[in-house]
Each structure stands twice: as C-alpha cells, then as structure tokens.
Amino acid sequence: MAAYNPRGDLDYIGHVGTGTGWNTALLANLATVLAPLEQPTPPTTGRAVPRADARDAHWVRPVTVGEVVYRTWTPDGSLRHPSWRGLRPDKDPQEVNVDKL
C-alpha cells in the first residue's frame, strides 16, 4: 500500500494480507481490476518498500484506492494491523495522503 506525502511523493505504508474477510469472489474481482494495472517495479517515489515486503509483491499503477482499517502507525512509517475493507472507486488516489490517515 502507498499514500502520498505532503511533498507529493508516493510513500510505502505497508501491506495488507487477505485476512478473514476475503473469499474467492472478492479475490477474483480484485484480480480482474488489478491485472491490467500490473507493472514490474513499485510505484513508490518516496519511502521505499522494504526488501522483505517486496519479495512476493505484485506491483500496480497507483490509480485505484483500497480502504483499510488499522490500529496505528509503526515507528518506521507503516500501518499497524491493516485490514482490507474493499475498493473505493469514489476516491481519487491523490486524496490518499499520509497526513489524512
């Protein structure tokens, strides 16, 4: 996951796993939405993706917004315990700023 910082750079803010709210239909829908957006490298221009998180990642262009709930921020700038809620087609990625989370 990523969000824009006050300078306009896209910062890595952590990853979200499948959790308990996922099912086959949701995964299939998400794959359909994200497959055309796939790219070979992370789209972040600010805070880099840690190597451990990048190992199994699939990168997409930052044109969709996903909603997650989380507990707090970690000291290194990631979301703690993020849980997937769904896509937000009503939101523009530029609206997702680290200072608003």
mmCIF file of all heavy atoms in Angstrom, residues 42-76:
data_model
loop_
_atom_site.group_PDB
_atom_site.id
_atom_site.type_symbol
_atom_site.label_atom_id
_atom_site.label_comp_id
_atom_site.label_asym_id
_atom_site.label_seq_id
_atom_site.Cartn_x
_atom_site.Cartn_y
_atom_site.Cartn_z
ATOM 1 N N PRO A 42 7.895 -1.212 -8.102
ATOM 2 C CA PRO A 42 6.987 -0.490 -7.209
ATOM 3 C C PRO A 42 6.771 0.941 -7.692
ATOM 4 O O PRO A 42 7.693 1.573 -8.213
ATOM 5 C CB PRO A 42 7.681 -0.519 -5.850
ATOM 6 C CG PRO A 42 9.053 -1.006 -6.085
ATOM 7 C CD PRO A 42 9.122 -1.615 -7.440
ATOM 8 N N PRO A 43 5.559 1.464 -7.526
ATOM 9 C CA PRO A 43 5.275 2.829 -7.980
ATOM 10 C C PRO A 43 5.704 3.905 -6.996
ATOM 11 O O PRO A 43 5.553 5.082 -7.276
ATOM 12 C CB PRO A 43 3.750 2.813 -8.135
ATOM 13 C CG PRO A 43 3.290 1.855 -7.107
ATOM 14 C CD PRO A 43 4.355 0.783 -7.059
ATOM 15 N N THR A 44 6.245 3.508 -5.859
ATOM 16 C CA THR A 44 6.602 4.492 -4.839
ATOM 17 C C THR A 44 7.742 5.383 -5.316
ATOM 18 O O THR A 44 8.675 4.942 -5.969
ATOM 19 C CB THR A 44 7.010 3.785 -3.536
ATOM 20 O OG1 THR A 44 8.001 2.805 -3.832
ATOM 21 C CG2 THR A 44 5.818 3.114 -2.883
ATOM 22 N N THR A 45 7.642 6.653 -4.977
ATOM 23 C CA THR A 45 8.677 7.628 -5.305
ATOM 24 C C THR A 45 9.276 8.227 -4.040
ATOM 25 O O THR A 45 10.262 8.928 -4.098
ATOM 26 C CB THR A 45 8.106 8.767 -6.173
ATOM 27 O OG1 THR A 45 6.981 9.345 -5.496
ATOM 28 C CG2 THR A 45 7.677 8.252 -7.534
ATOM 29 N N GLY A 46 8.647 7.940 -2.906
ATOM 30 C CA GLY A 46 9.121 8.407 -1.603
ATOM 31 C C GLY A 46 9.716 7.247 -0.829
ATOM 32 O O GLY A 46 10.654 6.604 -1.282
ATOM 33 N N ARG A 47 9.127 6.963 0.331
ATOM 34 C CA ARG A 47 9.610 5.880 1.187
ATOM 35 C C ARG A 47 9.610 4.553 0.427
ATOM 36 O O ARG A 47 8.599 4.127 -0.109
ATOM 37 C CB ARG A 47 8.721 5.768 2.429
ATOM 38 C CG ARG A 47 9.179 4.692 3.382
ATOM 39 C CD ARG A 47 8.370 4.719 4.683
ATOM 40 N NE ARG A 47 8.735 3.572 5.475
ATOM 41 C CZ ARG A 47 7.948 2.525 5.684
ATOM 42 N NH1 ARG A 47 6.739 2.508 5.179
ATOM 43 N NH2 ARG A 47 8.354 1.516 6.400
ATOM 44 N N ALA A 48 10.763 3.911 0.402
ATOM 45 C CA ALA A 48 10.950 2.679 -0.370
ATOM 46 C C ALA A 48 10.300 1.474 0.311
ATOM 47 O O ALA A 48 10.069 1.475 1.512
ATOM 48 C CB ALA A 48 12.432 2.418 -0.569
ATOM 49 N N VAL A 49 10.046 0.461 -0.480
ATOM 50 C CA VAL A 49 9.467 -0.787 0.011
ATOM 51 C C VAL A 49 10.592 -1.642 0.592
ATOM 52 O O VAL A 49 11.581 -1.908 -0.089
ATOM 53 C CB VAL A 49 8.770 -1.553 -1.131
ATOM 54 C CG1 VAL A 49 8.155 -2.842 -0.622
ATOM 55 C CG2 VAL A 49 7.722 -0.672 -1.798
ATOM 56 N N PRO A 50 10.465 -2.089 1.848
ATOM 57 C CA PRO A 50 11.493 -2.966 2.416
ATOM 58 C C PRO A 50 11.616 -4.264 1.616
ATOM 59 O O PRO A 50 10.628 -4.780 1.089
ATOM 60 C CB PRO A 50 10.971 -3.262 3.832
ATOM 61 C CG PRO A 50 10.022 -2.150 4.130
ATOM 62 C CD PRO A 50 9.426 -1.760 2.810
ATOM 63 N N ARG A 51 12.811 -4.775 1.526
ATOM 64 C CA ARG A 51 13.099 -5.973 0.735
ATOM 65 C C ARG A 51 12.195 -7.142 1.125
ATOM 66 O O ARG A 51 11.684 -7.860 0.270
ATOM 67 C CB ARG A 51 14.557 -6.368 0.880
ATOM 68 C CG ARG A 51 14.953 -7.534 0.008
ATOM 69 C CD ARG A 51 16.404 -7.889 0.191
ATOM 70 N NE ARG A 51 17.226 -6.716 -0.076
ATOM 71 C CZ ARG A 51 18.203 -6.670 -0.957
ATOM 72 N NH1 ARG A 51 18.498 -7.742 -1.644
ATOM 73 N NH2 ARG A 51 18.891 -5.574 -1.144
ATOM 74 N N ALA A 52 11.970 -7.344 2.413
ATOM 75 C CA ALA A 52 11.135 -8.464 2.869
ATOM 76 C C ALA A 52 9.703 -8.337 2.347
ATOM 77 O O ALA A 52 9.065 -9.330 2.001
ATOM 78 C CB ALA A 52 11.137 -8.546 4.387
ATOM 79 N N ASP A 53 9.184 -7.121 2.278
ATOM 80 C CA ASP A 53 7.822 -6.913 1.785
ATOM 81 C C ASP A 53 7.762 -6.982 0.260
ATOM 82 O O ASP A 53 6.731 -7.320 -0.307
ATOM 83 C CB ASP A 53 7.276 -5.568 2.259
ATOM 84 C CG ASP A 53 7.034 -5.542 3.753
ATOM 85 O OD1 ASP A 53 7.069 -6.612 4.398
ATOM 86 O OD2 ASP A 53 6.794 -4.447 4.293
ATOM 87 N N ALA A 54 8.849 -6.654 -0.397
ATOM 88 C CA ALA A 54 8.876 -6.645 -1.860
ATOM 89 C C ALA A 54 9.012 -8.042 -2.457
ATOM 90 O O ALA A 54 8.643 -8.255 -3.608
ATOM 91 C CB ALA A 54 10.034 -5.778 -2.355
ATOM 92 N N ARG A 55 9.486 -8.973 -1.678
ATOM 93 C CA ARG A 55 9.799 -10.322 -2.190
ATOM 94 C C ARG A 55 8.643 -10.959 -2.953
ATOM 95 O O ARG A 55 8.827 -11.450 -4.051
ATOM 96 C CB ARG A 55 10.224 -11.203 -1.034
ATOM 97 C CG ARG A 55 10.766 -12.537 -1.425
ATOM 98 C CD ARG A 55 11.316 -13.261 -0.236
ATOM 99 N NE ARG A 55 11.469 -12.311 0.858
ATOM 100 C CZ ARG A 55 11.566 -12.616 2.129
ATOM 101 N NH1 ARG A 55 11.548 -13.843 2.503
ATOM 102 N NH2 ARG A 55 11.700 -11.692 3.055
ATOM 103 N N ASP A 56 7.452 -10.977 -2.400
ATOM 104 C CA ASP A 56 6.312 -11.642 -3.037
ATOM 105 C C ASP A 56 5.265 -10.659 -3.574
ATOM 106 O O ASP A 56 4.133 -11.050 -3.843
ATOM 107 C CB ASP A 56 5.638 -12.587 -2.035
ATOM 108 C CG ASP A 56 6.557 -13.715 -1.598
ATOM 109 O OD1 ASP A 56 7.348 -14.180 -2.432
ATOM 110 O OD2 ASP A 56 6.482 -14.108 -0.425
ATOM 111 N N ALA A 57 5.653 -9.416 -3.730
ATOM 112 C CA ALA A 57 4.692 -8.382 -4.117
ATOM 113 C C ALA A 57 4.392 -8.400 -5.614
ATOM 114 O O ALA A 57 5.211 -8.827 -6.427
ATOM 115 C CB ALA A 57 5.234 -7.007 -3.726
ATOM 116 N N HIS A 58 3.208 -7.941 -5.947
ATOM 117 C CA HIS A 58 2.804 -7.660 -7.327
ATOM 118 C C HIS A 58 2.519 -6.169 -7.374
ATOM 119 O O HIS A 58 1.716 -5.659 -6.589
ATOM 120 C CB HIS A 58 1.546 -8.451 -7.702
ATOM 121 C CG HIS A 58 1.784 -9.907 -7.778
ATOM 122 N ND1 HIS A 58 2.129 -10.538 -8.959
ATOM 123 C CD2 HIS A 58 1.758 -10.854 -6.832
ATOM 124 C CE1 HIS A 58 2.289 -11.817 -8.713
ATOM 125 N NE2 HIS A 58 2.071 -12.038 -7.432
ATOM 126 N N TRP A 59 3.163 -5.471 -8.298
ATOM 127 C CA TRP A 59 3.055 -4.014 -8.355
ATOM 128 C C TRP A 59 2.005 -3.589 -9.365
ATOM 129 O O TRP A 59 1.872 -4.184 -10.424
ATOM 130 C CB TRP A 59 4.405 -3.405 -8.747
ATOM 131 C CG TRP A 59 5.508 -3.921 -7.898
ATOM 132 C CD1 TRP A 59 6.534 -4.722 -8.302
ATOM 133 C CD2 TRP A 59 5.694 -3.721 -6.501
ATOM 134 N NE1 TRP A 59 7.336 -5.020 -7.245
ATOM 135 C CE2 TRP A 59 6.851 -4.418 -6.121
ATOM 136 C CE3 TRP A 59 4.986 -3.013 -5.536
ATOM 137 C CZ2 TRP A 59 7.322 -4.423 -4.822
ATOM 138 C CZ3 TRP A 59 5.456 -3.022 -4.239
ATOM 139 C CH2 TRP A 59 6.612 -3.716 -3.897
ATOM 140 N N VAL A 60 1.283 -2.539 -9.038
ATOM 141 C CA VAL A 60 0.296 -1.977 -9.957
ATOM 142 C C VAL A 60 0.444 -0.470 -9.995
ATOM 143 O O VAL A 60 0.955 0.154 -9.057
ATOM 144 C CB VAL A 60 -1.157 -2.358 -9.568
ATOM 145 C CG1 VAL A 60 -1.371 -3.850 -9.669
ATOM 146 C CG2 VAL A 60 -1.512 -1.849 -8.181
ATOM 147 N N ARG A 61 -0.010 0.114 -11.103
ATOM 148 C CA ARG A 61 -0.033 1.577 -11.196
ATOM 149 C C ARG A 61 -0.966 2.122 -10.121
ATOM 150 O O ARG A 61 -2.015 1.538 -9.852
ATOM 151 C CB ARG A 61 -0.510 2.026 -12.576
ATOM 152 C CG ARG A 61 0.548 1.820 -13.642
ATOM 153 C CD ARG A 61 0.097 2.320 -15.000
ATOM 154 N NE ARG A 61 -0.909 1.405 -15.538
ATOM 155 C CZ ARG A 61 -2.124 1.768 -15.953
ATOM 156 N NH1 ARG A 61 -2.484 3.037 -15.928
ATOM 157 N NH2 ARG A 61 -2.974 0.880 -16.427
ATOM 158 N N PRO A 62 -0.629 3.229 -9.507
ATOM 159 C CA PRO A 62 -1.427 3.769 -8.404
ATOM 160 C C PRO A 62 -2.645 4.564 -8.884
ATOM 161 O O PRO A 62 -2.718 5.784 -8.743
ATOM 162 C CB PRO A 62 -0.436 4.654 -7.656
ATOM 163 C CG PRO A 62 0.493 5.129 -8.727
ATOM 164 C CD PRO A 62 0.622 3.957 -9.691
ATOM 165 N N VAL A 63 -3.609 3.850 -9.453
ATOM 166 C CA VAL A 63 -4.810 4.514 -9.966
ATOM 167 C C VAL A 63 -6.083 4.044 -9.275
ATOM 168 O O VAL A 63 -7.162 4.545 -9.571
ATOM 169 C CB VAL A 63 -4.941 4.348 -11.504
ATOM 170 C CG1 VAL A 63 -3.773 5.009 -12.212
ATOM 171 C CG2 VAL A 63 -5.045 2.896 -11.890
ATOM 172 N N THR A 64 -5.963 3.078 -8.367
ATOM 173 C CA THR A 64 -7.121 2.610 -7.607
ATOM 174 C C THR A 64 -6.893 2.889 -6.129
ATOM 175 O O THR A 64 -5.753 3.025 -5.675
ATOM 176 C CB THR A 64 -7.353 1.095 -7.788
ATOM 177 O OG1 THR A 64 -6.184 0.408 -7.361
ATOM 178 C CG2 THR A 64 -7.655 0.742 -9.226
ATOM 179 N N VAL A 65 -7.974 2.978 -5.394
ATOM 180 C CA VAL A 65 -7.895 3.212 -3.953
ATOM 181 C C VAL A 65 -8.564 2.046 -3.243
ATOM 182 O O VAL A 65 -9.674 1.654 -3.593
ATOM 183 C CB VAL A 65 -8.588 4.537 -3.561
ATOM 184 C CG1 VAL A 65 -8.619 4.707 -2.047
ATOM 185 C CG2 VAL A 65 -7.879 5.715 -4.215
ATOM 186 N N GLY A 66 -7.863 1.507 -2.270
ATOM 187 C CA GLY A 66 -8.432 0.479 -1.409
ATOM 188 C C GLY A 66 -8.601 1.042 -0.012
ATOM 189 O O GLY A 66 -7.770 1.827 0.460
ATOM 190 N N GLU A 67 -9.662 0.644 0.637
ATOM 191 C CA GLU A 67 -9.898 1.096 2.009
ATOM 192 C C GLU A 67 -9.441 0.024 2.983
ATOM 193 O O GLU A 67 -9.742 -1.161 2.813
ATOM 194 C CB GLU A 67 -11.381 1.364 2.228
ATOM 195 C CG GLU A 67 -11.690 1.873 3.620
ATOM 196 C CD GLU A 67 -13.152 2.225 3.798
ATOM 197 O OE1 GLU A 67 -13.896 2.284 2.806
ATOM 198 O OE2 GLU A 67 -13.551 2.443 4.942
ATOM 199 N N VAL A 68 -8.685 0.435 3.989
ATOM 200 C CA VAL A 68 -8.271 -0.458 5.065
ATOM 201 C C VAL A 68 -8.545 0.233 6.397
ATOM 202 O O VAL A 68 -8.606 1.458 6.470
ATOM 203 C CB VAL A 68 -6.770 -0.842 4.982
ATOM 204 C CG1 VAL A 68 -6.460 -1.598 3.704
ATOM 205 C CG2 VAL A 68 -5.876 0.364 5.122
ATOM 206 N N VAL A 69 -8.728 -0.562 7.420
ATOM 207 C CA VAL A 69 -8.740 -0.038 8.778
ATOM 208 C C VAL A 69 -7.444 -0.495 9.425
ATOM 209 O O VAL A 69 -6.879 -1.520 9.037
ATOM 210 C CB VAL A 69 -9.977 -0.511 9.586
ATOM 211 C CG1 VAL A 69 -11.240 0.090 9.006
ATOM 212 C CG2 VAL A 69 -10.067 -2.008 9.636
ATOM 213 N N TYR A 70 -6.938 0.255 10.379
ATOM 214 C CA TYR A 70 -5.669 -0.077 11.006
ATOM 215 C C TYR A 70 -5.668 0.433 12.437
ATOM 216 O O TYR A 70 -6.491 1.281 12.813
ATOM 217 C CB TYR A 70 -4.494 0.495 10.208
ATOM 218 C CG TYR A 70 -4.515 2.001 10.105
ATOM 219 C CD1 TYR A 70 -3.781 2.783 10.986
ATOM 220 C CD2 TYR A 70 -5.279 2.641 9.132
ATOM 221 C CE1 TYR A 70 -3.805 4.164 10.903
ATOM 222 C CE2 TYR A 70 -5.302 4.018 9.039
ATOM 223 C CZ TYR A 70 -4.568 4.776 9.929
ATOM 224 O OH TYR A 70 -4.596 6.141 9.841
ATOM 225 N N ARG A 71 -4.752 -0.090 13.234
ATOM 226 C CA ARG A 71 -4.678 0.299 14.650
ATOM 227 C C ARG A 71 -3.950 1.622 14.846
ATOM 228 O O ARG A 71 -4.439 2.514 15.494
ATOM 229 C CB ARG A 71 -3.964 -0.777 15.454
ATOM 230 C CG ARG A 71 -4.626 -2.100 15.432
ATOM 231 C CD ARG A 71 -5.333 -2.324 16.737
ATOM 232 N NE ARG A 71 -5.814 -3.702 16.786
ATOM 233 C CZ ARG A 71 -7.065 -4.000 17.007
ATOM 234 N NH1 ARG A 71 -7.938 -3.080 17.230
ATOM 235 N NH2 ARG A 71 -7.439 -5.256 17.020
ATOM 236 N N THR A 72 -2.743 1.704 14.291
ATOM 237 C CA THR A 72 -1.904 2.882 14.466
ATOM 238 C C THR A 72 -0.762 2.798 13.461
ATOM 239 O O THR A 72 -0.740 1.922 12.610
ATOM 240 C CB THR A 72 -1.359 2.959 15.915
ATOM 241 O OG1 THR A 72 -0.695 4.205 16.109
ATOM 242 C CG2 THR A 72 -0.421 1.815 16.233
ATOM 243 N N TRP A 73 0.185 3.709 13.564
ATOM 244 C CA TRP A 73 1.380 3.702 12.726
ATOM 245 C C TRP A 73 2.528 3.045 13.484
ATOM 246 O O TRP A 73 2.655 3.227 14.687
ATOM 247 C CB TRP A 73 1.782 5.131 12.366
ATOM 248 C CG TRP A 73 0.853 5.791 11.423
ATOM 249 C CD1 TRP A 73 -0.246 6.538 11.739
ATOM 250 C CD2 TRP A 73 0.915 5.766 10.001
ATOM 251 N NE1 TRP A 73 -0.861 6.977 10.607
ATOM 252 C CE2 TRP A 73 -0.167 6.515 9.522
ATOM 253 C CE3 TRP A 73 1.778 5.166 9.089
ATOM 254 C CZ2 TRP A 73 -0.405 6.697 8.163
ATOM 255 C CZ3 TRP A 73 1.548 5.353 7.738
ATOM 256 C CH2 TRP A 73 0.472 6.109 7.293
ATOM 257 N N THR A 74 3.391 2.328 12.773
ATOM 258 C CA THR A 74 4.604 1.786 13.371
ATOM 259 C C THR A 74 5.667 2.878 13.383
ATOM 260 O O THR A 74 5.552 3.873 12.645
ATOM 261 C CB THR A 74 5.127 0.568 12.578
ATOM 262 O OG1 THR A 74 5.523 1.011 11.274
ATOM 263 C CG2 THR A 74 4.076 -0.527 12.483
ATOM 264 N N PRO A 75 6.719 2.721 14.182
ATOM 265 C CA PRO A 75 7.783 3.732 14.188
ATOM 266 C C PRO A 75 8.445 3.943 12.827
ATOM 267 O O PRO A 75 8.946 5.024 12.540
ATOM 268 C CB PRO A 75 8.794 3.177 15.202
ATOM 269 C CG PRO A 75 7.979 2.329 16.116
ATOM 270 C CD PRO A 75 6.920 1.713 15.224
ATOM 271 N N ASP A 76 8.427 2.914 11.966
ATOM 272 C CA ASP A 76 9.073 3.062 10.657
ATOM 273 C C ASP A 76 8.134 3.598 9.579
ATOM 274 O O ASP A 76 8.509 3.694 8.422
ATOM 275 C CB ASP A 76 9.722 1.751 10.206
ATOM 276 C CG ASP A 76 8.712 0.655 9.890
ATOM 277 O OD1 ASP A 76 7.521 0.816 10.203
ATOM 278 O OD2 ASP A 76 9.126 -0.365 9.320
#
